[in-house]
């Protein structure tokens, strides 16, 4: 674990103000520590939405309008209004304080793009796994990949209007998550909510780092 991540969340505030919510300023020249985080999850679970809502730069997204041809291939059950799909990946940036910058990488959800995942977790400190409780089983593959790669993660339940509300214990059981993996609820469309999910991940990483430094 990176020993420099000793105070990863500063005062719990991320850059961007009411006057300048995006804060598209250049990086402060005091910036020293770039932390790579991954926003992972199945197709249509809200990854692009999360990276967009929380990034201070206009995120690089490679969204393409879904063609008729892909309609039978990509499952849109539950996300019928979704008309674009992320072909490569989302990328965003958040300045935590004058030294620390978070770089967010959203994973492509469709299995046919999984070859793009090679190397995606390399150098990543951790991941937020977004899940949709209407389609929990679609998260198994992603969770497996994270466990295989040894990338620490938290689970964020993205709530949709017709989602049945499950307790975090029920979700933990359904996803077979170890007790130490934090589970939070979030609304990926809201900046504060997406930010809170990322802060939960940062606190989790901090805890793991502290634990690994114990004699
Ligand atoms: N109600 C609701 N809709 C959401 C939320 N997050 C994403 N969506 C919608 O769900 C659809 C899929 O989101 P998207 O970010 O493209 O999913 P991705 O495939 O994981 O990148 C889009 O139409 C979003 O507007 C959320 O928290 N609540
Ligand atoms: Mg996307």
């Amino acid at each position: 674990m990176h020993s420099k991540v000793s105070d990863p969340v500063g005062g719990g505030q991320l850059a961007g103000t009411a006057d300048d919510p995006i804060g598209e300023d250049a990086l402060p020249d005091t910036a020293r520590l770039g932390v790579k985080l991954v926003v992972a999850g199945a197709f249509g679970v809200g990854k692009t939405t999360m990276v967009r809502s929380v990034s201070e730069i206009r995120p690089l997204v490679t969204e393409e309008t879904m063609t008729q041809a892909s309609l039978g291939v990509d499952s849109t059950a539950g996300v019928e209004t979704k008309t674009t799909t992320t072909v490569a990946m989302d990328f965003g940036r958040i300045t935590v304080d004058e030294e620390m910058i978070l770089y967010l990488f959203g994973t492509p959800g469709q299995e046919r793009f999984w070859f793009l995942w090679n190397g995606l977790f390399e150098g990543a400190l951790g991941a937020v796994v977004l899940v949709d409780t209407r389609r929990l089983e679609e998260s198994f593959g992603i969770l497996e990949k994270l466990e295989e790669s040894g990338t620490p993660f938290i689970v964020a339940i993205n709530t949709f209007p017709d989602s049945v509300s499950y307790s975090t214990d029920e979700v933990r059981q359904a996803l077979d998550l170890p007790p130490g993996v934090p589970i939070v609820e979030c609304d990926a469309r809201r900046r504060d909510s997406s930010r809170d999910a990322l802060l939960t991940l940062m606190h989790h990483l901090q805890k793991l780092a502290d634990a690994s430094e114990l004699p």
Side-chain angles (χ1 to χ4, degrees):
M1 186 60 56
H2 210 298
S3 62
K4 280 194 195 160
V5 193
S6 54
D7 182 20
V9 291
Q13 293 293 310
L14 298 179
T17 63
D19 292 341
D20 180 18
I22 308 288
E24 274 186 285
D25 297 331
L27 279 182
D29 43 13
T30 46
R32 267 172 244 300
L33 179 59
V35 173
K36 175 178 172 181
L37 300 178
V38 175
V39 178
F43 180 66
V45 87
K47 301 175 297 293
T48 300
T49 307
M50 174 173 270
V51 173
R52 279 194 179 160
S53 73
V54 84
S55 179
E56 63 199 16
I57 52 169
R58 231 166 277 288
L60 278 177
V61 241
T62 326
E63 290 263 284
E64 290 217 330
T65 303
M66 279 197 277
T67 59
Q68 204 63 27
S70 84
L71 285 180
V73 182
D74 295 326
S75 153
T76 50
V79 276
E80 284 82 2
T81 54
K82 189 169 161 62
T83 51
T84 60
T85 186
T86 308
V87 172
M89 59 183 64
D90 312 312
F91 175 74
R93 190 190 80 198
I94 305 165
T95 309
V96 177
D97 57 29
E98 63 281 355
E99 294 206 337
M100 181 183 277
I101 316 291
L102 305 185
Y103 294 101
L104 295 181
F105 292 77
T107 58
Q110 310 93 306
E111 293 193 16
R112 67 179 190 280
F113 290 120
W114 274 15
F115 68 91
L116 289 171
W117 286 50
N118 293 332
L120 187 64
F121 299 133
E122 233 163 78
L125 277 198
V128 171
V129 181
L130 278 170
V131 300
D132 177 347
T133 52
R134 299 169 303 177
R135 308 177 290 124
L136 274 183
E137 68 288 350
E138 292 178 21
S139 308
F140 290 144
I142 283 110
L143 292 170
E144 223 168 85
K145 281 207 173 282
L146 280 162
E147 278 164 3
E148 267 168 32
S149 70
T151 312
F153 62 89
I154 69 147
V155 167
I157 304 167
N158 201 16
T159 321
F160 290 83
D162 56 338
S163 298
V164 182
S165 173
Y166 295 102
S167 70
T168 52
D169 274 348
E170 286 170 308
V171 172
R172 186 181 304 282
Q173 234 176 2
L175 293 177
D176 197 18
L177 295 175
V181 174
I183 305 179
V184 293
E185 284 188 20
C186 81
D187 183 334
R189 297 164 301 179
R190 289 184 34 213
R191 182 167 206 248
D192 54 347
S193 182
S194 296
R195 181 202 58 194
D196 287 348
L198 289 168
L199 289 175
T200 301
L201 173 62
M202 295 302 279
H203 286 300
H204 181 53
L205 294 175
Q206 177 72 66
K207 243 173 133 175
L208 294 176
D210 290 348
S212 73
E213 277 164 22
L214 289 176

